[in-house]
Amino acid sequence: MLQKNLLSKLNNWIIFILFTLVIGGVVAASYFLIDYLRKEEIKRIELFATAMKYQQETFIEDPVALDLILQISESNTSVPVIITDSKGRIIGPEFMRNIPEEVMKSPEKLQRTLGEMKSAYQPFEIKLPGGNQYVYFNNSQLLNDLRYSPLFLGLLVLAYVIFSFWFLRTIKKTDEGFLWAGLAKETAHQIGTPLSSMIGWVEILRMENENSVGVAEIEKDIKRLKTISERFSKIGSVPELNDLNLNETVQQNYDYLRSRISRKVVFKLSLPTEEILIPHNRILMSWVIENLVKNAVDAMKGSGKLDISVYEKNANIFIDFRDTGSGMTSRNAARAFKPGFSTKKRGWGLGLSLAKRVINEYHKGDIRIAQTEVGKGSTFRIILKSD
């Protein structure tokens, strides 16, 4: 079992590392792609600056070369460019590329755009006989939009991973629910067959000795077995909740269990004087109470003190089970309600798991370990809404 748990944790870490590497790889690939596009735009502007230089010189007479230079200067349709003279003055509209019209009409906006270009990149210098010129530029709109793509892709992949884990966990819980429901119904079916036979034998024994104490006790246990069978049959189906007196439900279970647990256990029950009418299924609630009491008795190894108290506080009904048993470590307390977990050598570790299902899903309440300390005992608490 320990080796299996270690392998399961190792697999979880491997999956986590793989997903982390995938997210990191996507972000890194996006970053390198954007950096590549940025460098390509710089090369294009450098070529554009060279074309502008040759276009203004008079010694080139080849019409093919002039046409090629013109095509290069006009090929820039996305990168914003402003050319200034040696004193930093904008030469004119024909020396600007891809600048919005509203910016070109506003001197203030134009100077602000030029300032942004100066802070973004070093300009390319055009050396001319009549005075040098400077080509200022900035990222294209496409490149600006792509700057946030690594973050967006990273968040998208992360959201997908979170959704995948949630989806798989939901499927797992659903499968577990069907498994436990099927197991419970099959158990109820298996109990029903010998139970019917036992009822028939009790009738025969009563005919032989109607006032037999043994027969009376067997009848009580048969009635209890019928109740247990009904409990299992209700798992997986929607139970009927009635406005019953919760005090009466707890009292009935207390009376039954006190006569059947070790007399070395000091069993105490504290109930409020007023009736507590709250919608609950008595059969399933009895199952939860019995599970908590038996766990407490096992934790005390058949000797100790068990206090059950019912009280109302802040519009909630509380049922506390306080024992003087061995208590639990914080790690075991965190896993106590998980299917299959048990600190005992016998049993399947399903009692607390099914109890949590009954309280959480069927009664819309909560069940938790309110307090525990190794060597001093634990307090299990059921919380139900009173309205």
Side-chain angles (χ1 to χ4, degrees):
M1 179 65 73
L2 179 60
Q3 185 178 5
K4 185 177 179 181
N5 289 335
L6 288 174
L7 287 174
S8 177
K9 289 181 179 180
L10 182 61
N11 289 335
N12 290 338
W13 273 108
I14 291 173
I15 293 172
F16 173 76
I17 292 171
L18 286 176
F19 274 124
T20 302
L21 290 175
V22 169
I23 294 174
V26 169
V27 173
S30 301
Y31 172 80
F32 286 121
L33 174 62
I34 292 171
D35 188 60
Y36 170 78
L37 293 175
R38 183 179 64 83
K39 290 177 180 177
E40 287 298 308
E41 285 192 353
I42 294 173
K43 290 179 181 179
R44 286 172 57 192
I45 297 304
E46 185 177 14
L47 185 61
F48 170 81
T50 304
M52 290 298 294
K53 169 182 169 60
Y54 291 141
Q55 197 173 358
Q56 297 180 69
E57 291 180 340
T58 57
F59 62 84
I60 299 178
E61 297 179 357
D62 187 351
V64 176
L66 288 172
D67 184 61
L68 179 60
I69 291 169
L70 182 63
Q71 288 183 31
I72 292 173
S73 64
E74 291 179 352
S75 64
N76 176 28
T77 58
S78 59
V79 182
V81 173
I82 296 177
I83 301 176
T84 68
D85 59 19
S86 58
K87 295 182 179 180
R89 294 174 297 190
I90 299 173
I91 299 175
E94 66 275 13
F95 287 87
M96 290 185 281
R97 294 287 189 278
N98 308 309
I99 304 298
E101 188 176 351
E102 64 271 14
V103 174
M104 294 178 66
K105 290 180 178 179
S106 172
E108 293 181 358
K109 291 182 179 179
L110 195 57
Q111 288 298 323
R112 191 181 308 121
T113 301
L114 179 60
E116 291 173 358
M117 290 180 175
K118 289 180 178 180
S119 61
Y121 295 101
Q122 287 291 327
F124 288 105
E125 185 178 7
I126 301 176
K127 295 182 179 181
L128 297 170
N132 294 344
Q133 295 176 352
Y134 295 91
V135 180
Y136 292 95
F137 63 99
N138 208 340
N139 296 325
S140 64
Q141 187 60 45
L142 174 62
L143 193 60
N144 283 331
D145 293 339
L146 288 175
R147 282 187 306 172
Y148 302 102
S149 63
L151 178 62
F152 175 75
L153 287 172
L155 291 174
L156 185 64
V157 174
L158 182 62
Y160 175 76
V161 170
I162 293 173
F163 171 78
S164 298
F165 274 115
W166 171 82
F167 182 71
L168 292 173
R169 188 176 180 185
T170 302
I171 291 177
K172 183 180 178 182
K173 282 189 174 182
T174 303
D175 290 342
E176 285 178 354
F178 283 125
L179 176 63
W180 300 135
L183 178 63
K185 289 183 182 296
E186 179 62 22
T187 303
H189 175 71
Q190 294 294 333
I191 291 175
T193 303
L195 188 60
S196 300
S197 178
M198 289 175 67
I199 293 172
W201 281 107
V202 166
E203 291 300 323
I204 294 173
L205 290 172
R206 183 183 286 111
M207 290 172 61
E208 296 179 356
N209 187 350
E210 186 175 354
N211 298 319
S212 172
V213 176
V215 171
E217 288 300 318
I218 291 174
E219 279 188 317
K220 289 181 181 178
D221 286 331
I222 288 175
K223 185 178 179 181
R224 193 66 180 178
L225 283 171
K226 288 175 68 177
T227 301
I228 293 171
S229 179
E230 288 181 30
R231 292 173 182 173
F232 278 110
S233 66
K234 289 181 182 294
I235 294 296
S237 59
V238 180
E240 182 181 353
L241 304 182
N242 299 310
D243 283 318
L244 300 172
N245 184 2
L246 186 63
N247 288 348
E248 187 177 323
T249 301
V250 177
Q251 183 71 59
Q252 287 178 0
N253 282 273
Y254 171 78
D255 293 339
Y256 175 82
L257 293 169
R258 186 174 63 170
S259 63
R260 280 162 173 76
I261 63 175
S262 172
R263 295 192 178 276
K264 294 180 181 180
V265 176
V266 179
F267 212 176
K268 181 181 177 183
L269 175 63
S270 300
L271 297 175
T273 54
E274 306 85 7
E275 288 187 348
I276 297 180
L277 297 178
I278 184 171
H280 68 282
N281 185 282
R282 181 161 286 174
I283 292 175
L284 292 180
M285 188 62 71
S286 297
W287 191 1
V288 174
I289 293 171
E290 185 174 327
N291 262 298
L292 294 179
V293 169
K294 287 183 176 179
N295 276 340
V297 173
D298 287 340
M300 294 185 291
K301 296 180 173 57
S303 177
K305 185 177 180 182
L306 174 60
D307 291 338
I308 302 176
S309 56
V310 181
Y311 57 97
E312 188 171 3
K313 183 179 179 182
N314 298 329
N316 289 321
I317 305 299
F318 296 84
I319 310 176
D320 283 356
F321 299 79
R322 184 178 295 105
D323 65 64
T324 57
S326 57
M328 286 182 283
T329 63
S330 57
R331 185 179 179 215
N332 284 345
R335 298 186 296 162
F337 294 100
K338 291 184 178 180
F341 174 78
S342 177
T343 56
K344 296 175 287 188
K345 293 182 179 180
R346 59 183 176 86
W348 289 2
L350 299 180
L352 289 178
S353 175
L354 290 173
K356 189 172 184 67
R357 182 187 179 98
V358 168
I359 298 299
N360 287 18
E361 296 185 19
Y362 297 152
H363 292 85
K364 308 305 178 186
D366 192 20
I367 182 170
R368 64 182 65 164
I369 300 174
Q371 180 275 332
T372 185
E373 187 176 349
V374 177
K376 293 189 177 181
S378 305
T379 300
F380 282 78
R381 176 171 294 163
I382 299 173
I383 304 173
L384 303 170
K385 294 180 180 178
S386 60
D387 52 357

